Amino acid sequence: MTPHATDPTADAAATYLAALHERLTADGCAVTLPPWHDHRVIAAHRSDRKARWFGTKVELFVFAAAVPEVDETALGEFTVWAMSYAKSLRRGIPGARNAAFVLPALVSARVRPEAARWAAEDARILGTTLISRPLAVETAPDGVRTSMYRGRVALGSLFTGHVLKKAALYFP
């Protein structure tokens, strides 16, 4: 590769993140660009309240970054970082807050199988009100493959449909 040539795999991840940014903005999310290690992260936040949730407010945080390769260690570290970052952004009085969900996604042309399995096996919980559904997004030449847990969780099961609907909208 010449010094001026671009990496097509990095370009695919960057294109995916640009489209994600547009989908998040179009859905009314507030979007910022904080750093994680040496990667720029798309960070988005929105709140929803519905009568069928008995007035409970749900905060949804989305974090996504492009990396050269997604492995289980990197996805785990990014998930912990995203959950901590989301916790620092939460509003309201501690102990009286409503539910919060985090969608941390690492995007790459190379996703290791164990990272995809780890993302799909279960949600991660921080405390009793912060639930994370990590995503491994592979931007392959034949299409995008997204791995995440799509099942119910014991805590926050009332909001599963809403979170999965938003995940499908943001990460098609």
Side-chain angles (χ1 to χ4, degrees):
M1 186 182 312
T2 66
H4 299 290
T6 59
D7 179 359
T9 59
D11 287 346
T15 299
Y16 184 88
L17 288 178
L20 171 64
H21 188 284
E22 289 176 17
R23 290 188 293 271
L24 292 164
T25 303
D27 195 41
C29 294
V31 179
T32 60
L33 302 170
W36 172 66
H37 297 305
D38 59 345
H39 303 285
R40 186 183 75 159
V41 176
I42 293 176
H45 172 258
R46 67 172 288 127
S47 296
D48 295 292
R49 189 180 306 267
K50 296 186 180 187
R52 71 173 184 252
W53 299 336
F54 309 103
T56 302
K57 180 175 75 171
V58 173
E59 292 180 280
L60 181 62
F61 298 89
V62 177
F63 299 94
V67 294
E69 179 178 70
V70 179
D71 63 22
E72 189 175 347
T73 300
L75 188 55
E77 289 174 3
F78 186 67
T79 298
V80 168
W81 174 84
M83 291 179 79
S84 295
Y85 195 87
K87 184 177 179 183
S88 75
L89 297 175
R90 295 213 44 213
R91 298 184 181 109
I93 301 166
R97 295 179 177 146
N98 294 301
F101 295 86
V102 181
L103 298 174
L106 286 183
V107 180
S108 178
R110 293 181 295 277
V111 173
R112 299 193 47 107
E114 66 273 8
R117 280 191 299 275
W118 186 83
E121 78 183 12
D122 204 354
R124 286 18 181 224
I125 300 173
L126 179 64
T128 59
T129 60
L130 192 62
I131 300 168
S132 175
R133 291 175 182 264
L135 294 98
V137 180
E138 185 173 12
T139 53
D142 58 340
V144 174
R145 288 186 283 279
T146 303
S147 300
M148 72 172 282
Y149 177 67
R150 290 177 170 80
R152 290 207 168 287
V153 292
L155 294 171
S157 63
L158 180 64
F159 314 106
T160 298
H162 176 71
V163 173
L164 293 177
K165 179 181 166 188
K166 292 298 183 184
L169 174 65
Y170 303 150
F171 299 98

